[in-house]
Amino acid sequence: MTDLARSVFGATFQNPVLLAAGTCGFAQELDEVVDLEALGGIVTKSVTLEPRQGNPPPRLAEFPGGMVNSVGLANPGVDAVRAEKLPWLHRNLRRPRVFVSVAGHAPEEFGEIVTRLDDGEGFLGFELNLSCPNDARRSALPFALDPAEAAAVVGRVRPLTRRPLLAKMAPNAPGLAAVARAVADAGADGLTVANTVPGYLPLPGKGAPALGAGGGGVSGPLLRPLAIRAVREVREAVDLPLVGVGGICTAGHAVEYLAAGASLVQIGTASFADPRAALRVIKDLERWSGLPLHEKADPKAPIHSSPAGLAPDG
């Protein structure tokens, strides 16, 4: 245990750095590449009721400020996750805290997934993916853009589990504070701030999309100022633990989120450029050890300066 440890959601995280949903699979995929035991935690790929093949390729495209993706929530479905993925997590992970990301087209689907997984082992809680821009539910907008719809999902799930519930917000929600208050009132234990934002990247010199599905979600360094602003706004609106995510490539970036009011952070896009990015961030965060990080944060003086692209220094 180090003084980077955080006690939140009824559990102790050995450090505040988690891997973000959709970027580390179900952890098994990274087992031979990353020291999983050194992480603070992991958020799995989003789980849906039925298996999904995802959107047509290409699914990822990089640009100087980050990348766009439209994976389409590809996953093996809730039954396979229960039978195969959770047992592996239970057998192989001793210290990292795991949240299972859940996605659906209706509150009832979220409820059914949580019900099927809740008595499984190998995870701490659920992250409700209310804000994915790559999963059009018929003609409707993501739940996180509407306070009543977001609250309906959380309200459906809350009576079904005693595990911690995180509600994942959209930084482009026109009434972000109202959405945050609605999911808090519905029973969320914390909020993840924030998901990607919708974008469109054309092929160089052409109007055709770089992604097979057309548009996608923008992530990486370009997203960081938007997500930090969202953390600050949500921090003013609710008194719940927050998990900051979006464009973190260095320990200095992580500290910016902690200074804005987050208790934990998640790293996603940086892992595509360097699968061990989270481990480097954890190591460098030890330079802030001794006091709560938000008391030491200096957003103008990150530990490493990073170029605008995905790859961090070093």
Side-chain angles (χ1 to χ4, degrees):
M1 191 74 65
T2 73
D3 54 10
L4 291 182
R6 289 288 205 262
S7 294
V8 63
F9 306 123
T12 298
F13 295 76
Q14 62 179 344
N15 61 66
V17 180
L18 289 69
L19 296 182
T23 64
C24 62
F26 292 88
Q28 186 175 3
E29 295 86 342
L30 294 179
D31 189 34
E32 296 183 0
V33 179
V34 175
D35 179 8
L36 299 174
E37 294 295 337
L39 298 169
I42 294 164
V43 186
T44 71
K45 284 185 65 66
S46 289
V47 180
T48 56
L49 272 179
E50 302 297 331
R52 292 197 191 180
Q53 295 299 314
N55 289 333
R59 295 178 175 179
L60 304 175
E62 187 176 353
F63 66 97
M67 75 176 189
V68 291
N69 87 86
S70 185
V71 175
L73 302 181
N75 76 99
V78 65
D79 290 337
V81 169
R82 178 182 171 83
E84 303 168 13
K85 304 302 183 181
L86 295 187
W88 187 93
L89 291 168
H90 180 60
R91 291 192 307 267
N92 291 279
L93 297 187
R94 181 172 58 91
R95 290 191 295 183
R97 300 295 186 172
V98 177
F99 285 90
V100 174
S101 178
V102 177
H105 286 161
E108 292 75 18
E109 289 188 18
F110 283 84
E112 180 65 22
I113 295 166
V114 167
T115 297
R116 293 195 196 181
L117 297 180
D118 193 51
D119 63 351
E121 297 181 298
F123 71 106
L124 173 65
F126 296 99
E127 182 179 83
L128 305 179
N129 187 352
L130 307 178
S131 47
C132 179
N134 302 320
D135 182 38
R137 45 188 191 99
R138 305 178 182 91
S139 60
L141 295 172
F143 295 100
L145 298 184
D146 182 277
E149 293 208 1
V153 175
V154 177
R156 177 71 177 185
V157 172
R158 180 70 281 172
L160 305 176
T161 180
R162 299 179 65 180
R163 297 177 186 267
L165 292 179
L166 305 181
K168 192 165 187 178
M169 300 289 96
N172 56 312
L176 181 58
V179 176
R181 287 190 290 266
V183 297
D185 291 343
D189 296 290
L191 285 74
T192 300
V193 189
N195 214 324
T196 60
V197 295
Y200 182 96
L201 185 68
L203 291 169
K206 302 178 181 179
L211 300 181
V218 178
S219 66
L222 185 68
L223 180 62
R224 194 171 73 255
L226 303 177
I228 291 176
R229 180 186 183 279
V231 169
R232 293 172 62 89
E233 183 175 350
V234 171
R235 177 76 289 149
E236 291 294 321
V238 300
D239 187 23
L240 290 177
L242 306 182
V243 183
V245 56
I248 297 174
C249 296
T250 71
H253 298 160
V255 171
E256 292 172 1
Y257 277 93
L258 297 169
S263 298
L264 304 171
V265 298
Q266 296 176 9
I267 293 179
T269 300
S271 298
F272 287 89
D274 174 10
R276 299 180 179 88
L279 302 181
R280 188 190 63 255
V281 168
I282 293 167
K283 181 178 179 180
D284 285 351
L285 278 175
E286 294 173 358
R287 293 176 57 182
W288 266 274
S289 62
L291 287 174
L293 293 180
H294 67 273
E295 294 183 7
K296 290 190 168 186
D298 180 2
K300 296 182 180 179
I303 293 176
H304 294 303
S305 59
S306 176
L310 298 183
D313 285 350

